[in-house]
Amino acid sequence: MTTISSMPLLQVEHLTMRFGGLVAVGDLSFDVARGQITALIGPNGAGKTTVFNCITGFYKPTEGRLTLNHDANHHYLLERLPDHDINWKARVARTFQNIRLFQGMTVLENLLVAQHNTLMRASGYSLLGLFNAKSYRDQADLALQKALHWLERIHLLDRADDAAGDLPYGDQRRLEIARAMCTDPLLLCLDEPAAGLNPKESLELNTLLTGIRDEGKTSLLLIEHDMSVVMTISDHVVVLDYGVKIADGTPDAVRNDPKVIAAYLGVDDDEVAEVEAEVGL
Amino acid sequence: MAIFIQQLINGLTLGSIYGLIAIGYTMVFGIIGMVNFAHGDVFMVSAFVALLLFMIFTTLLHWALVPALLVVLVLAMAITGLWNWTIERTAYRPLRGSFRLAPLISAIGMSILLSNLIQVIQGPRNKPVPPMFTQVIPIYEENGYVAGIGYKQIVIMVVTAVLLALFWYLVQKTPLGRAQRACEQDQKMAALLGIDVDRTISLTFVMGAALAAVAGVMYIMYYGVVNFADGFVPGVKAFTAAVLGGIGSLPGAVIGGLLIGLIETMWSAYFSIDYKDVAAFSLLAITLVFLPTGLLGRPEVEKV
C-alpha cells in the first residue's frame, strides 16, 4: 500500500511522440514528486516542449501513459482527457515560452477568466449573474480576492486595469504564472519562465517559484535553459537529449554527470582529434 | 424637413432590426472566424416561430396583445436559440478543425435547407399577422404633411435598446462574456484554463440566435407579413452592417446596422427607391477602401 506522500504526482511512463519519421520523444519515463520543483533540461531540440505539449493535451502521445495522481483513489490519465478537463479536473496548469496572455483583456480580467468554471457555476451560467444574485456576488468577491492576492504577490496591483498586452515583458511573464495559479493547479508546468528576464527579475522569479512550492499545494515542473535558476531552485533534474532521457537526479548529481556534460558541451577536442586520427585525416 | 424627420425615425427603426441581426454575425465571426451565412435564415425562422406563437396566444387563447407579445418574445428567443444550437452541433461543430471553407459551405447549405424547409411546411405565400400598435404620435407638421412616430416604432427602438444594454452587460461583466472574449483571442489557452471552448461557442450561437429572434418578432410586428425568402435580404444587409461597423465589434454591428437603415430610407426618400440597396452596398465598398477593418474594427497587428 503506497501512501499519498510517497506516490509521485505525475508519472510519465514510456512516453513516445513521433511526427512522421521523426522521434521527438522516445520511451521517456520520469516522475514529478509532490511538493518539489522538477526541472526538465536539455539542449535545443531535445524534446522538452514536446513533453509539455503531451502533458497539457496539445499533442496526443503516440505511445505511453501520463498519470496524474490526486490521491490513492483518484487518478487521471492525461492523454485521454479533453483539453479543458486537464486543467479543470486533473488540475494541471501551464505557461508558455512565447507568452500567451489574453492581450486585449485587462490584467485583472486575465486572472478572473482563469476562475471561469467556479464563477460560471456560481452564476448559474451567467443568468443569476445578470440578476446579481447573492450567491454569485459572494463567489465573485472570492474570485476577486484571489486575483488581488496574486496581483500583490507579483507586484502588479497598481496595473490591474491596464491591458495585459501593454505590460513590460517581465511583468507579462509573472502575470502568466499568476494566471495559471488562479486555477488552483496541483501541477504547474512552466516553459522557460526565466527566458528574457534580467538578473533582478530572474531573482524575483526564483523567490516566487520557491514560494509556490513551499506553500505545499502546487508542485512545479519547469523547462529552463538558465542553469543558475535550475541549479538554485530545483529539487530534481531530468535531462533530455534527442528525445531520450540521459540523466535523472539531484542538481549536483546531474551537474557532474559526464553524459550531461557531453550533451551540453559536445565531446572534448582531443577526443575529436583521436577520432580524426583513426579515420586518417 | 418633415420628410427628413419621418425618414430618420423609419431609418432608426429599420436600423435597429439590422443591428440585432448583425450582432449574430459579428459574434460568431469573432469567436470562430466564420461567416454564418445561415444567420439570415435563422432570423426568418424566428419570425415564423413568432408568428405561429402569436397566432396561438391571440387567436386561440384570446390573450391581450401586450402580454401575448412579451411571452412570444421570450419563447421565440428560447426556441430560436435551441434551433441555432442544434444547427451548430450538427452542421458546424463536426467540421471544426477541418479546412477553413468547410463550415462556410456547410452554412450556405444550411441556409438553403432552412428557407426550403419553411417553404415546404409553411407554403410560399406571405403569412400575415393582424396589424398592431397602429397609433401614431404626430411630432412635426409642415405644409400639411405630418411626421409622426408610430407606437410600434417606439416599441422596436425601446426593446432593441434595452436588450442591447442587457447583452452588453452580459458580454462585458459576466463569466460567460469573459470566456467568450478569451476564446476569441486564444481558444487553446482558454481551454488550458479549464474553459470548455465548444460549450462557449455553442452559447455564442444561442445568444446570436436569441437576438435574431428579437429582430424576427420586431419584423413581423413592423411589416405584418413574413415569407420563406425574407431571410436573405435582411441577412445580407445585416452582414453588410457587421462588416461596415468592423466585424468582431459589438458596438460596430449596432452602429453599422443603424447606418445601413438610415442610408436606405434616406436614399428612398430623396433619390430612387429602386436603388436603395445599391446605395447601402456602395457605402460599404467606399468605407472598406478607406477603412479596411470597418468603422470600429481593430487592425490585426502581428508581433514578430
Side-chain angles (χ1 to χ4, degrees):
Chain A
M1 185 74 196
T2 47
T3 58
I4 296 173
S5 54
S6 71
M7 196 183 355
L9 179 64
L10 173 73
Q11 287 172 291
V12 177
E13 291 163 289
H14 305 293
L15 176 69
T16 301
M17 184 75 215
R18 286 195 204 96
F19 299 100
L22 176 82
V23 183
V25 177
D27 197 24
L28 173 71
S29 303
F30 69 93
D31 289 343
V32 175
R34 252 164 240 280
Q36 289 195 352
I37 295 180
T38 306
L40 194 58
I41 65 169
N44 285 328
K48 306 178 296 290
T49 301
T50 306
V51 173
F52 265 36
N53 284 342
C54 290
I55 293 173
T56 50
F58 272 67
Y59 300 153
K60 294 291 165 220
T62 321
E63 284 164 32
R65 194 160 76 152
L66 300 156
T67 320
L68 199 95
N69 303 306
H70 279 200
D71 52 47
N73 301 318
H74 293 87
H75 314 280
Y76 292 93
L77 293 176
L78 297 182
E79 76 276 10
R80 296 193 188 165
L81 285 180
D83 286 355
H84 55 272
D85 281 342
I86 289 179
N87 180 269
W88 175 235
K89 295 226 174 86
R91 297 174 63 193
V92 176
R94 137 168 219 194
T95 67
F96 288 84
Q97 201 172 337
N98 46 336
I99 304 168
R100 287 176 83 162
L101 288 168
F102 301 116
Q103 309 269 343
M105 296 166 85
T106 67
V107 170
L108 184 64
E109 279 180 324
N110 266 282
L111 298 184
L112 289 177
V113 91
Q115 306 175 56
H116 171 75
N117 282 312
T118 29
L119 283 174
M120 193 76 169
R121 195 162 287 179
S123 70
Y125 294 95
S126 286
L127 280 177
L128 296 176
L130 276 185
F131 300 116
N132 221 358
K134 183 161 185 336
S135 61
Y136 170 62
R137 263 181 295 145
D138 292 348
Q139 194 63 50
D141 265 354
L142 282 179
L144 191 65
Q145 289 311 318
K146 194 198 276 180
L148 293 179
H149 164 77
W150 279 102
L151 280 181
E152 207 174 332
R153 272 184 82 162
I154 60 171
H155 316 299
L156 284 180
L157 207 48
D158 51 336
R159 304 209 59 173
D161 293 324
D162 293 353
D166 295 346
L167 292 181
Y169 188 80
D171 290 350
Q172 292 199 18
R173 281 223 171 275
R174 276 179 288 134
L175 178 59
E176 208 188 16
I177 295 172
R179 183 181 62 180
M181 287 307 293
C182 276
T183 64
D184 286 327
L186 290 175
L187 177 66
L188 174 61
C189 303
L190 302 162
D191 196 344
E192 297 200 27
L197 298 189
N198 64 36
K200 181 173 162 279
E201 288 173 326
S202 191
L203 210 62
E204 278 177 11
L205 181 79
N206 286 359
T207 326
L208 180 66
L209 296 186
T210 45
I212 290 171
R213 172 191 62 188
D214 295 340
E215 277 159 26
K217 289 182 199 141
T218 307
S219 314
L220 291 90
L221 175 62
L222 69 116
I223 294 176
E224 191 49 74
H225 277 301
D226 186 336
M227 283 306 134
S228 66
V229 174
V230 172
M231 295 303 163
T232 329
I233 66 171
S234 44
D235 305 295
H236 180 156
V237 179
V238 176
V239 191
L240 288 187
D241 193 23
Y242 294 108
V244 179
K245 182 167 86 173
I246 56 171
D248 185 345
T250 61
D252 282 333
V254 164
R255 198 198 322 241
N256 298 321
D257 191 315
K259 275 199 209 149
V260 178
I261 296 170
Y264 266 92
L265 304 177
V267 283
D268 287 347
D269 280 342
D270 42 352
E271 281 181 19
V272 175
E274 275 172 37
V275 175
E276 279 176 349
E278 273 176 35
V279 295
L281 274 169
Chain B
M1 189 62 192
I3 291 182
F4 178 80
I5 291 175
Q6 187 62 61
Q7 289 303 82
L8 188 69
I9 293 164
N10 294 345
L12 288 176
T13 315
L14 186 62
S16 304
I17 294 177
Y18 288 156
L20 284 169
I21 309 173
I23 286 178
Y25 278 108
T26 220
M27 284 187 75
V28 166
F29 185 87
I31 200 162
I32 51 174
M34 173 196 131
V35 179
N36 181 10
F37 279 117
H39 193 64
D41 295 278
V42 170
F43 154 75
M44 179 270 298
V45 168
S46 79
F48 268 95
V49 168
L51 177 114
L52 291 175
L53 288 170
F54 184 77
M55 294 319 262
I56 289 170
F57 284 115
T58 53
T59 325
L60 280 179
L61 302 174
H62 301 292
W63 283 28
L65 182 61
V66 173
L69 263 183
L70 278 176
V71 173
V72 166
L73 185 68
V74 172
L75 280 179
M77 284 170 80
I79 294 172
T80 316
L82 190 67
W83 187 295
N84 213 22
W85 180 82
T86 316
I87 292 176
E88 195 269 336
R89 273 312 275 266
T90 51
Y92 306 148
R93 191 185 291 188
L95 295 171
R96 205 166 294 148
S98 173
F99 67 108
R100 269 181 79 91
L101 282 179
L104 206 71
I105 294 164
S106 182
I108 293 172
M110 188 47 77
S111 159
I112 296 169
L113 177 90
L114 287 178
S115 59
N116 283 279
L117 180 74
I118 298 295
Q119 186 182 11
V120 169
I121 60 181
Q122 289 291 321
R125 290 207 199 105
N126 277 341
K127 296 275 166 180
V129 285
M132 48 190 122
F133 300 127
T134 43
Q135 300 92 320
V136 175
I137 307 171
I139 48 175
Y140 188 82
E141 194 181 340
E142 192 182 63
N143 308 331
Y145 179 85
V146 184
I149 182 163
Y151 276 22
K152 57 185 167 191
Q153 292 178 314
I154 297 177
V155 172
I156 289 173
M157 286 189 242
V158 168
V159 170
T160 306
V162 168
L163 280 166
L164 284 179
L166 198 70
F167 191 78
W168 180 248
Y169 181 81
L170 189 72
V171 171
Q172 288 299 321
K173 297 287 174 197
T174 66
L176 174 62
R178 242 182 339 245
Q180 280 177 324
R181 283 180 291 139
C183 290
E184 231 165 76
Q185 291 182 33
D186 190 341
Q187 288 190 11
K188 222 37 187 166
M189 191 63 235
L192 283 179
L193 295 173
I195 294 171
D196 188 336
V197 176
D198 279 338
R199 181 189 284 162
T200 310
I201 292 173
S202 291
L203 287 174
T204 307
F205 273 83
V206 171
M207 282 157 75
L211 285 178
V214 178
V217 175
M218 300 298 139
Y219 186 85
I220 58 159
M221 205 174 89
Y222 195 48
Y223 292 106
V225 289
V226 62
N227 77 35
F228 75 96
D230 276 353
F232 183 70
V233 174
V236 172
K237 290 277 177 55
F239 176 59
T240 310
V243 176
L244 180 64
I247 198 150
S249 154
L250 291 184
V254 178
I255 290 170
L258 291 176
L259 271 178
I260 296 278
L262 282 172
I263 287 157
E264 262 191 58
T265 47
M266 291 300 172
W267 190 275
S268 313
Y270 293 106
F271 302 100
S272 150
I273 196 163
D274 297 328
Y275 286 98
K276 67 182 166 77
D277 295 351
V278 176
F281 294 130
S282 307
L283 176 86
L284 173 74
I286 294 165
T287 313
L288 288 186
V289 167
F290 295 105
L291 294 166
T293 52
L295 295 174
L296 298 183
R298 279 183 303 258
E300 272 188 29
V301 184
E302 201 163 327
K303 263 192 190 168
V304 215

